[in-house]
Amino acid sequence: MQKRIVNAWNEWDELEEIVVGIADDAYFEPTEPGNRPTLRDKNIAEILPFPRGFKKQEVTEKANEELNGLVTLLESHCVTVRRPEKHNFGVSVKTPLFEVENQYCAVCPRDVLITFGNEILEATMSRRSRFFEYLPYRKLVYEYWHNDPYMIWNSAPKPTMQDAMYREEFWEWPLEERFKRMHDFEFCITQDEVIFDAADCSRFGCDIFVQESMTTNRLGILWLKRHLEPRGFRVHDVHFPLDLFPSHIDCTFVPLAPGVVLTNPERPIKEGEEKVFMDNDWQFIEAPSPTSSNEEMPMFCQSSKWLAMNVLSISPKKVICEAQEHRLHDLLDKHGFEVYPIPFRNVYEFGGSLHCATWDIRRRGTCEDYFPKLNYTPLAATTNGVSCLIM
Ligand code: DAV
């Protein structure tokens, strides 16, 4: 029997192979309808625009040092580590329907690709500058596809990313307005096309939880349901109404082991959506307050202080965490996890921390049902297979 290379069913089983991002040739994320990057310091932001063009070499080098440190740590745990190819992110993108001045970087494979068991799926993506971000990983995907006859490879339909796909006025809504609308789950993308970033999905064996966000809409979740249900998965949409700018689930709701999710105390799950976890004896552990406040995060970083909880599990007992997050280390230690601290703050301005900057290819283990007490209505059982999601 030929060995399976691609096999990962959840976020915590013993890790055997993973892709770690690289910071080479990274560019600042451009302003576009799906993204309005701003300087962290509000006073400076009033007088200076967000930078454009390539990131300075020394900034890229510092991030690469920390990414390489992660590689060394993973290899010391006998994990096979692969890296993306270099890519020229300075090339502008023009399709028949949009144009954007530059691309972004290959630091966060998690946003773009996801392994569902033996399948590698390329997400649609939601931003123009990330339309072609699968390219630095294509050579690797081909290699897995050639060497693992069981591997299934799919690429979700590319959205048009034309102006009409976005709701630009979203960016002008004052906070009170967003707060008022927080249960509408309407953000900068409309509901007319299939849109999702891979990092809005969290894998729990045969159950996949997908967050509705600025980067994933309801048709995106419906597409994932239709795609995954015939293979035995159950796909659930989840919401965190107090996150007024949601993007990617892995700073909000992070499973660490069967029965244990690290949760964000400022972003509780929507009332009623906790039930499936409680009914199945899952425990929510609240993350402690992060070391840096939002104001203290790096100037060009567009993520929140909750990158603190963007940890990477290498087994149901071992978690890699950012070095300065001592309160989190203590909490995990108290819950019986072995913590491996590693410096990673120089990676923050490239869009993420340890979970974002990786994409697991193989973890030991198979597809298990961690929610045996679950009332799940598959699409096939609903009227014409049309989900209540879009009604
Ligand atoms: O909460 O700031 C960051 C996710 C980055 N990929 C947050 C989400």
Side-chain angles (χ1 to χ4, degrees):
M1 262 247 301
Q2 235 172 314
K3 189 172 161 354
R4 282 178 189 260
I5 300 171
V6 176
N7 180 72
W9 299 92
N10 57 46
E11 309 289 338
W12 58 75
D13 269 346
E14 180 126 0
L15 185 64
E16 295 185 337
E17 180 155 347
I18 196 161
V19 177
V20 173
I22 51 168
D24 303 58
D25 304 317
Y27 270 62
F28 283 101
E29 49 206 300
T31 295
E32 53 169 307
N35 189 21
R36 290 265 181 100
T38 45
L39 292 172
R40 177 69 55 181
D41 185 312
K42 300 253 171 340
N43 296 324
I44 302 182
E46 270 177 27
I47 42 175
L48 285 181
F50 192 77
R52 292 160 72 164
F54 60 92
K55 292 202 189 256
K56 279 207 184 105
Q57 181 136 6
E58 62 187 84
V59 175
T60 305
E61 275 169 12
K62 276 192 189 161
N64 268 336
E65 254 171 55
E66 294 185 344
L67 288 159
N68 293 341
L70 174 62
V71 173
T72 307
L73 176 63
L74 289 164
E75 286 176 345
S76 76
H77 286 264
C78 301
V79 176
T80 302
V81 181
R82 308 298 308 273
R83 310 300 294 274
E85 275 187 289
K86 286 195 184 188
H87 178 80
N88 186 352
F89 292 99
V91 173
S92 61
V93 172
K94 183 166 167 33
T95 76
L97 297 168
F98 73 82
E99 253 184 283
V100 67
E101 65 195 76
N102 59 258
Q103 301 165 65
Y104 184 33
C105 65
V107 173
C108 293
R110 183 80 57 186
D111 299 355
V112 189
L113 295 129
I114 186 161
T115 308
F116 288 119
N118 61 332
E119 175 186 13
I120 287 177
L121 177 65
E122 297 168 3
T124 70
M125 303 313 287
S126 53
R127 293 179 185 168
R128 293 173 175 175
S129 55
R130 309 190 76 178
F131 191 88
F132 285 111
E133 212 173 290
Y134 60 88
L135 287 174
Y137 308 97
R138 265 286 167 96
K139 200 169 158 203
L140 270 176
V141 174
Y142 262 105
E143 192 190 307
Y144 291 136
W145 189 69
H146 281 302
N147 295 338
D148 177 352
Y150 303 100
M151 189 271 230
I152 298 172
W153 171 19
N154 272 304
S155 179
K158 279 287 180 201
T160 62
M161 299 201 186
Q162 61 191 340
D163 288 349
M165 196 184 95
Y166 299 95
R167 186 182 287 117
E168 278 228 68
E169 72 268 19
F170 167 83
W171 301 107
E172 312 302 332
W173 291 346
L175 272 187
E176 308 79 70
E177 172 85 10
R178 281 174 219 273
F179 198 74
K180 246 193 283 165
R181 294 173 184 245
M182 73 180 163
H183 290 288
D184 298 348
F185 306 103
E186 293 290 349
F187 307 103
C188 53
I189 49 174
T190 58
Q191 303 294 343
D192 304 328
E193 296 190 44
V194 169
I195 306 169
F196 68 93
D197 278 10
D200 276 311
C201 305
S202 190
R203 298 158 305 159
F204 294 62
C206 53
D207 289 281
I208 311 295
F209 292 86
V210 191
Q211 166 182 244
E212 244 192 86
S213 69
M214 301 195 299
T215 43
T216 294
N217 67 0
R218 296 196 273 282
L219 282 198
I221 301 176
L222 179 59
W223 188 91
L224 283 162
K225 268 177 183 271
R226 279 203 206 166
H227 179 69
L228 292 170
E229 278 186 1
R231 296 177 49 223
F233 287 101
R234 298 177 294 217
V235 178
H236 314 263
D237 48 307
V238 280
H239 305 84
F240 303 89
L242 286 179
D243 187 358
L244 302 178
F245 299 85
S247 156
H248 306 161
I249 195 169
D250 50 0
C251 290
T252 303
F253 198 73
V254 179
L256 298 174
V260 185
V261 185
L262 184 66
T263 57
N264 182 321
E266 292 181 1
R267 301 174 182 169
I269 194 165
K270 184 181 157 194
E271 211 183 314
E273 290 181 352
E274 77 295 345
K275 189 172 181 313
V276 51
F277 293 91
M278 299 305 129
D279 288 351
N280 288 280
D281 303 319
W282 280 71
Q283 181 192 8
F284 288 174
I285 309 181
E286 274 197 358
S289 72
T291 294
S292 304
S293 65
N294 278 328
E295 291 67 38
E296 291 160 349
M297 292 291 281
M299 184 68 134
F300 304 134
C301 171
Q302 298 300 296
S303 305
S304 73
K305 61 184 180 184
W306 294 107
L307 282 184
M309 58 185 285
N310 191 251
V311 299
L312 177 68
S313 291
I314 55 172
S315 89
K317 283 273 160 228
K318 298 179 182 168
V319 188
I320 306 181
C321 297
E322 208 287 322
Q324 292 182 32
E325 301 298 334
H326 300 292
R327 280 187 289 264
L328 179 62
H329 306 167
D330 293 346
L331 178 89
L332 294 179
D333 181 64
K334 209 176 82 200
H335 280 87
F337 292 96
E338 258 172 70
V339 174
Y340 295 86
I342 187 172
F344 220 63
R345 291 179 119 69
N346 288 303
V347 180
Y348 283 8
E349 78 159 76
F350 295 78
S353 189
L354 294 146
H355 194 258
C356 300
T358 52
W359 157 39
D360 37 308
I361 301 298
R362 188 170 66 261
R363 291 181 184 265
R364 212 170 278 171
T366 54
C367 185
E368 288 192 38
D369 182 355
Y370 301 99
F371 298 87
K373 289 182 228 144
L374 176 71
N375 279 328
Y376 183 80
T377 314
L379 280 177
T382 59
T383 321
N384 301 327
V386 177
S387 161
C388 51
L389 267 175
I390 55 165
M391 304 217 285

